[in-house]
Amino acid sequence: MTRAFLVVMDSVGIGGAPDAGEFFNDGIPDTGANTLAHIAQACADGRARDGRSGPLVLPNMTRLGLGAAVRLASGAAVPGLEADPDGFWAAATETSPGKDTPSGHWELAGLPVPWDWHYFPDTENSFPADLVRFVADAAGTDGILGNCHAPGTAIIERLGGRHMRSGWPICYTSADSVFQIAAHEDAFGLDRLLALCAAIAPRLHGMRVGRVIARPFTGGPDAGFTRTPNRRDFAITPPAPVLTNWVQDAGRAVHGIGKIGDIFSMQGIDTSVKGPDAVLMEHLFERVDNAADGSLTFANFVEFDSLYGHRRDISGYARALEWFDAELGRLLPRLRDGDLLVLTADHGNDPSWTGTDHTRERVPVLIAGQGAGSAGLVGFADVAASVAGHLGVPAQGPGRSFL
């Protein structure tokens, strides 16, 4: 019996989505967005020198096929990632009508989203009055702050002091199907914030809003505010079985790392750990060392997206990629014979692009443990079918194994 490790590098897109023109940032279509290629070009041009310098250096992912996947997906040059691969690789295309976390992860787990998500398109006064009243009543306050589209760090800097004085929750959204609530862990209370999100989530889910997200923070107006690792996503439960269910129903263990447990509402997941990416990497090492035969470990590393993509920080994104690649170099030799490691992504978040939201892109599929070769262009759902096939578990849904 063998093991599988499915690792999502959140937002590490590679351009080339055929329907990118149907998705927008600040009214500009995502056509031409390419997270990896634009970061690599910026590094080669000397435009990513904050905390690093020189071309983008990702030797381990390049050997697995990252540069080749970018070239196949989009035809873009990827300076520093030109080496021929000796791993098994592909480029995956999403069909779900969204460029957000649930859409990408559900489809990677074998379930394309079967409906159109509900969005809040107005950048100001984003939420209808009855929803605002409902949230305020649930919070026990006379109103809410925010009610707009905003980056999470910017809105707490702008409204954190007022929030602490008034006690009103900070509610905001984005181009994704989300309702986010930021609140101070001490002044408002972390347990109170989580209880508020849990209380309003059923109504938002009934509207087909994909996630209600608790965004706790600490600090003060003078020293500044800092978001904490205690974020929690209250996501719609997938309406049909997904990869985690397939594996668990076959009597195997399923381990979630990062926000996987939240994304799938713990459906089909036996254990779940959370924390910053550096901590999650240690959990991934522990699973590689100790996970049982036949098990699935499903991990998400979110900081590419949350700390660098949304903030349009090219240098920071490049640093994160180089850190991840170095950790991968330590991880690969610890895999056992017969193990399958799949590295992929759920969408793009091009830090060189206009706006602050995700970008519609294809994603890489890099595989260790299956020799060398390429499956070419595949679908997101094919990833789930391939992992299930490796584990000898019956797959459901539209995906087909490419292994």
Side-chain angles (χ1 to χ4, degrees), residues 26-52:
D26 280 354
I28 305 299
D30 286 343
T31 308
N34 194 322
T35 300
L36 247 301
H38 290 162
I39 292 171
Q41 192 62 59
C43 292
D45 294 344
R47 295 184 284 110
R49 301 176 62 182
D50 183 5
R52 63 166 310 283

Side-chain angles (χ1 to χ4, degrees), residues 6 105-106 109 233 235-238 241-250 252-274 287 295-300:
L6 175 55
H105 282 77
W106 285 13
D233 293 33
I236 292 180
T237 300
V242 294
L243 174 64
T244 54
N245 301 111
W246 309 343
V247 176
Q248 190 183 68
D249 290 348
R252 316 287 185 78
V254 180
H255 307 289
I257 294 178
K259 60 181 184 178
I260 295 299
D262 288 347
I263 294 167
F264 294 101
S265 301
M266 290 300 293
Q267 297 298 300
I269 297 172
D270 296 296
T271 68
S272 179
V273 292
K274 299 176 72 173
R287 290 291 81 201
S295 65
L296 168 66
T297 298
F298 197 168
N300 171 283

Side-chain angles (χ1 to χ4, degrees), residues 37 61 81 170 205 237 259 264 274 334:
M61 287 191 283
L81 281 67
I170 303 170
H205 293 166
T237 300
K259 60 181 184 178
F264 294 101
K274 299 176 72 173
R334 298 165 79 150

